[in-house]
Amino acid sequence: MERIIKLWKRLAASLLVIVMTTGLSVSAYALTTKEKLEQAQREREATQGQLSQTKDNISGLQNELSVLQGQLNNLNDQLTEVSDRLAELERQIADKEQEIAETKEALEEARIDADNQYEAMKSRIQYMYERNDYALLEGMLGADSVSDMLNFYDYADAITEYDERKLEDFRKIRDEIEQKEKELQAEQEELAGYRVQVEAEQSKVSGYISSTSGDIAQNAGQLSNAQAVAEAYEAKIKEQDADIAALKKKLAEEIAMSKLASQSAKRDISEVSFAEGDRYLLANLIYCEAGGEPYAGQLAVGAVVINRLLSSVYPDTITGVIYQRSQFSPVGSGRLAIALAEDRATPACYQAADEAMAGVSNVGDCVYFRTPIEGLTGISIGGHIFY
């Protein structure tokens, strides 16, 4: 017997190494199918909450993006309006510059005419003054009558008056042109001032557009990330739904298997030949499954293993029953390997194993046990339902 226990310990140590090197989880408490189902449902609810929150965030980002897009459209309209105003000012300034150029040209011509008229008048005046007495006397003596003599005098005086009037007219025209030039230059300066203001407004609106475009790009990036997160949550929910469905199916299969076992042929305990080491293996499984339960719970776990051993629908050895695929979670989690390697089974666990192997059962023909579940009936012992 001692040799078998040592063999189990070496085998358990090897199994533990396999568990640790393959990255399998070794938990202090192995979950039942029901507990796994409840945990999966809680995780699914949490994921659904995260998805709902993410969708709310997406909705908020979409609303914000819509507002920003509206602001951008409005700013673009403002920029178009400002640009049109600036173009109109440029046109007005160009027209004003053309008008100023034409005015300057007219002013220059008026100045030339005035200067010419002034020079001609000076020449005539100079001539008249230089020859005033002789010319006047000659003109009067040469007249045929007094009337002709007066006409000659009036003519000479009219020429002088004409020159003076003409010169005055040119001076007025020049003054008017100079005034017009000043007014045009003032208007040009005013338009230039408007242009500076409109260019500043254009620059300001362009800055707003750039800032808003940046906000839109940032918002669009956040929206894209949120949508990607939502898609990931949706994919996760699909996986969780599949896991929940699989766990529900497994639970239903367990219940069906329990009913089948109760209706199938059974061996009597007297027909069973236990192998050396079965007691060691069963005691340590009892420790893993019900080490913290009252003795009745430990005996009940041992009885479940023996009930399977006796049923025609399960393996016909304790080793086969315990290591049947996906039946006892301490096997899959590696906890049984640890217990076997260190022989953690308590005296009470060994006593329960001995009684179960002797045919004692406090759970009748039950072949499953788990934490209580709604709708599941059976024998309640400690924290488990046996069915």
Side-chain angles (χ1 to χ4, degrees):
M1 180 64 181
E2 186 66 26
R3 182 179 63 83
I4 294 299
I5 292 176
K6 289 180 179 180
L7 180 62
W8 267 118
K9 288 184 177 181
R10 287 199 298 271
L11 179 59
S14 299
L15 290 173
L16 180 59
V17 170
I18 292 173
V19 169
M20 297 300 292
T21 56
T22 54
L24 294 176
S25 133
V26 181
S27 60
Y29 175 69
L31 298 178
T32 65
T33 302
K34 164 60 178 172
E35 291 167 332
K36 291 178 181 178
L37 176 59
E38 290 175 343
Q39 179 177 335
Q41 289 172 331
R42 287 193 299 271
E43 291 174 353
R44 202 269 188 198
E45 290 175 0
T47 304
Q48 183 62 56
Q50 292 170 329
L51 176 60
S52 298
Q53 184 177 358
T54 302
K55 286 185 174 180
D56 289 341
N57 186 30
I58 288 174
S59 178
L61 288 171
Q62 288 173 334
N63 290 336
E64 183 179 350
L65 183 61
S66 177
V67 171
L68 287 172
Q69 191 61 56
Q71 292 176 353
L72 182 61
N73 293 338
N74 184 49
L75 287 170
N76 282 326
D77 290 341
Q78 291 182 32
L79 183 60
T80 299
E81 180 184 348
V82 172
S83 298
D84 291 343
R85 284 164 51 196
L86 185 60
E88 176 62 20
L89 281 172
E90 295 289 355
R91 185 192 65 78
Q92 292 178 12
I93 289 172
D95 291 346
K96 198 64 64 176
E97 288 174 346
Q98 179 64 28
E99 191 175 353
I100 289 172
E102 293 173 354
T103 301
K104 285 183 177 180
E105 185 178 349
L107 179 61
E108 185 61 27
E109 292 176 357
R111 284 173 178 164
I112 293 172
D113 289 342
D115 289 342
N116 291 337
Q117 182 67 22
Y118 179 66
E119 291 299 327
M121 187 185 70
K122 283 198 308 181
S123 297
R124 283 194 293 272
I125 292 173
Q126 182 179 2
Y127 176 79
M128 290 177 66
Y129 272 106
E130 287 177 352
R131 301 188 60 192
N132 184 47
D133 295 339
Y134 175 75
L136 184 58
L137 180 59
E138 183 180 10
M140 292 176 65
L141 291 175
D144 294 333
S145 64
V146 174
S147 178
D148 289 339
M149 182 183 65
L150 292 174
N151 287 338
F152 176 79
Y153 185 85
D154 290 340
Y155 172 74
D157 189 56
I159 291 175
T160 302
E161 184 181 352
Y162 170 79
D163 284 338
E164 292 177 351
R165 188 174 63 251
K166 194 67 176 178
L167 182 59
E168 183 63 25
D169 288 341
F170 281 126
R171 286 173 177 171
K172 288 181 178 179
I173 293 173
R174 184 185 61 189
D175 292 341
E176 289 175 357
I177 292 174
E178 288 178 346
Q179 181 62 32
K180 180 65 175 179
E181 183 182 24
K182 290 180 181 178
E183 291 174 357
L184 290 174
Q185 287 176 343
E187 291 176 3
Q188 185 185 35
E189 291 175 359
E190 184 178 4
L191 288 173
Y194 287 154
R195 178 170 60 184
V196 171
Q197 293 177 6
V198 174
E199 286 176 344
E201 185 177 355
Q202 183 185 46
S203 177
K204 184 178 180 180
V205 173
S206 297
Y208 287 152
I209 287 176
S210 178
S211 176
T212 304
S213 297
D215 291 341
I216 287 176
Q218 182 179 3
N219 182 278
Q222 292 174 346
L223 180 60
S224 178
N225 291 337
Q227 289 172 335
V229 171
E231 290 175 0
Y233 282 141
E234 288 172 348
K236 185 176 180 180
I237 286 174
K238 288 183 179 179
E239 293 177 359
Q240 290 172 330
D241 286 342
D243 291 342
I244 289 172
L247 289 170
K248 287 182 177 179
K249 181 180 179 181
K250 182 180 179 182
L251 186 58
E253 289 173 351
E254 289 178 358
I255 294 174
M257 194 69 172
S258 177
K259 292 180 179 178
L260 177 62
S262 65
Q263 298 169 358
S264 300
K266 286 181 57 179
R267 290 186 295 170
D268 187 76
I269 191 67
S270 61
E271 302 175 46
V272 178
S273 296
F274 292 103
E276 195 173 2
D278 282 352
R279 177 175 180 266
Y280 182 75
L281 176 59
L282 180 58
N284 278 279
L285 176 68
I286 292 172
Y287 167 79
C288 291
E289 292 283 14
E293 294 286 324
Y295 178 76
Q298 296 175 3
L299 174 59
V301 169
V304 164
V305 174
I306 299 303
N307 285 341
R308 291 192 181 192
L309 175 68
L310 299 177
S311 174
S312 60
V313 298
Y314 290 97
D316 58 1
T317 64
I318 284 185
T319 300
V321 168
I322 291 177
Y323 286 98
Q324 187 179 7
R325 183 177 179 82
S326 301
Q327 295 301 306
F328 294 95
S329 56
V331 175
S333 69
R335 189 163 180 252
L336 178 60
I338 295 175
L340 288 169
E342 300 175 0
D343 189 15
R344 291 189 175 183
T346 64
C349 292
Y350 274 106
Q351 181 182 348
D354 290 337
E355 284 202 68
M357 293 172 68
V360 177
S361 174
N362 57 348
V363 290
D365 295 330
C366 294
V367 291
Y368 285 100
F369 61 90
R370 66 179 60 260
T371 53
I373 174 176
E374 184 178 352
L376 180 64
T377 58
I379 301 172
S380 177
I381 298 177
H384 293 98
I385 296 292
F386 293 81
Y387 56 99

